[in-house]
Coordinates of all heavy atoms in Angstrom, one line a residue:
L3 N 5.4 5.7 6.6 CA 4.4 5.8 7.6 C 4.7 7.0 8.6 O 5.9 7.2 9.0 CB 4.3 4.5 8.5 CG 3.3 4.5 9.6 CD1 1.9 4.7 9.1 CD2 3.4 3.2 10.3
D4 N 3.7 7.8 8.9 CA 3.8 8.9 9.7 C 4.5 10.1 9.1 O 4.6 11.2 9.7 CB 4.4 8.6 11.1 CG 3.6 7.7 11.9 OD1 2.3 7.7 11.8 OD2 4.1 6.8 12.6
S5 N 5.0 10.0 7.9 CA 5.5 11.2 7.2 C 4.6 11.4 5.9 O 4.1 12.5 5.7 CB 7.0 11.0 6.8 OG 7.2 10.0 5.9
L6 N 4.5 10.4 5.0 CA 3.7 10.5 3.8 C 2.2 10.2 4.1 O 1.3 10.8 3.5 CB 4.2 9.6 2.7 CG 3.5 9.6 1.4 CD1 3.5 11.0 0.8 CD2 4.0 8.6 0.5
Y7 N 2.0 9.3 5.0 CA 0.6 8.9 5.3 C 0.5 8.4 6.8 O 1.5 8.1 7.4 CB 0.2 7.7 4.4 CG 0.9 6.4 4.7 CD1 0.3 5.4 5.5 CD2 2.1 6.1 4.2 CE1 0.9 4.2 5.8 CE2 2.8 4.9 4.4 CZ 2.2 4.0 5.2 OH 2.8 2.8 5.5
T8 N -0.7 8.5 7.3 CA -1.0 8.0 8.6 C -2.1 6.9 8.5 O -2.9 6.9 7.6 CB -1.4 9.1 9.6 OG1 -2.6 9.8 9.0 CG2 -0.3 10.1 9.8
I9 N -2.1 6.1 9.5 CA -3.1 5.0 9.6 C -4.3 5.6 10.4 O -4.1 5.9 11.6 CB -2.6 3.7 10.2 CG1 -1.4 3.2 9.3 CG2 -3.7 2.7 10.4 CD1 -0.7 2.0 9.9
K10 N -5.5 5.6 9.9 CA -6.7 6.1 10.6 C -7.5 4.9 11.1 O -8.2 5.1 12.1 CB -7.5 6.9 9.6 CG -6.9 8.2 9.2 CD -6.6 9.0 10.5 CE -5.9 10.4 10.2 NZ -5.5 11.1 11.4
S11 N -7.4 3.7 10.5 CA -8.1 2.6 11.0 C -7.3 1.3 10.5 O -6.7 1.4 9.5 CB -9.6 2.5 10.5 OG -9.6 2.4 9.1
L12 N -7.5 0.3 11.2 CA -6.7 -1.0 10.9 C -7.5 -2.2 11.4 O -7.8 -2.2 12.6 CB -5.3 -0.9 11.5 CG -4.3 -2.0 11.1 CD1 -4.1 -1.9 9.6 CD2 -3.0 -1.8 11.8
E13 N -7.7 -3.1 10.5 CA -8.4 -4.3 10.9 C -7.6 -5.5 10.3 O -7.2 -5.5 9.1 CB -9.8 -4.3 10.3 CG -10.7 -5.5 10.8 CD -12.1 -5.4 10.2 OE1 -12.5 -4.3 9.7 OE2 -12.8 -6.4 10.3
H14 N -7.3 -6.5 11.1 CA -6.5 -7.7 10.7 C -7.3 -8.9 11.1 O -7.5 -9.2 12.3 CB -5.2 -7.6 11.4 CG -4.3 -8.7 10.9 ND1 -2.9 -8.7 11.2 CD2 -4.4 -9.8 10.2 CE1 -2.3 -9.8 10.7 NE2 -3.3 -10.5 10.0
K15 N -7.8 -9.6 10.1 CA -8.4 -10.9 10.3 C -7.5 -12.0 9.6 O -6.6 -11.7 8.9 CB -9.8 -11.0 9.6 CG -10.8 -9.9 10.1 CD -12.0 -10.0 9.4 CE -13.0 -8.9 9.7 NZ -14.2 -8.9 8.9
T16 N -7.9 -13.2 9.8 CA -7.1 -14.3 9.1 C -7.2 -14.1 7.6 O -8.2 -14.1 7.0 CB -7.7 -15.7 9.5 OG1 -7.7 -15.8 10.9 CG2 -6.9 -16.8 8.8
G17 N -6.0 -13.9 7.1 CA -5.9 -13.7 5.6 C -6.3 -12.4 5.0 O -6.3 -12.2 3.8
L18 N -6.6 -11.4 5.9 CA -7.0 -10.1 5.4 C -6.6 -9.0 6.3 O -6.8 -9.0 7.5 CB -8.6 -10.1 5.2 CG -9.2 -8.8 4.7 CD1 -8.8 -8.5 3.3 CD2 -10.7 -8.9 4.8
I19 N -6.1 -7.9 5.7 CA -5.7 -6.7 6.4 C -6.4 -5.6 5.7 O -6.3 -5.5 4.4 CB -4.2 -6.4 6.5 CG1 -3.5 -7.6 7.2 CG2 -3.9 -5.1 7.1 CD1 -2.0 -7.6 7.0
V20 N -7.1 -4.7 6.4 CA -7.8 -3.6 5.8 C -7.4 -2.3 6.6 O -7.5 -2.3 7.8 CB -9.3 -3.7 5.8 CG1 -10.0 -2.4 5.2 CG2 -9.8 -4.9 5.0
A21 N -6.8 -1.3 5.9 CA -6.3 -0.1 6.6 C -6.9 1.1 5.9 O -6.9 1.2 4.7 CB -4.8 -0.1 6.5
G22 N -7.4 2.0 6.7 CA -7.8 3.3 6.3 C -6.6 4.3 6.4 O -6.0 4.4 7.5
L23 N -6.2 4.9 5.4 CA -5.0 5.8 5.4 C -5.4 7.2 5.0 O -6.3 7.5 4.3 CB -4.0 5.2 4.3 CG -3.7 3.7 4.4 CD1 -2.7 3.4 3.3 CD2 -3.1 3.4 5.8
E24 N -4.6 8.1 5.5 CA -4.7 9.5 5.1 C -3.4 10.0 4.7 O -2.4 10.0 5.4 CB -5.2 10.3 6.3 CG -5.4 11.8 6.0 CD -6.0 12.6 7.1 OE1 -6.5 12.0 8.1 OE2 -6.1 13.8 7.0
L25 N -3.3 10.6 3.4 CA -2.1 11.2 2.9 C -1.8 12.5 3.5 O -2.8 13.3 3.8 CB -2.2 11.3 1.4 CG -2.3 10.1 0.5 CD1 -2.5 10.4 -0.9 CD2 -1.0 9.3 0.7

Side-chain angles (χ1 to χ4, degrees):
L3 179 59
D4 296 327
S5 65
L6 178 63
Y7 70 96
T8 56
I9 298 172
K10 294 299 181 186
S11 63
L12 189 61
E13 186 177 345
H14 185 169
K15 300 176 187 175
T16 303
L18 179 65
I19 299 166
V20 178
L23 309 177
E24 183 175 348
L25 292 176

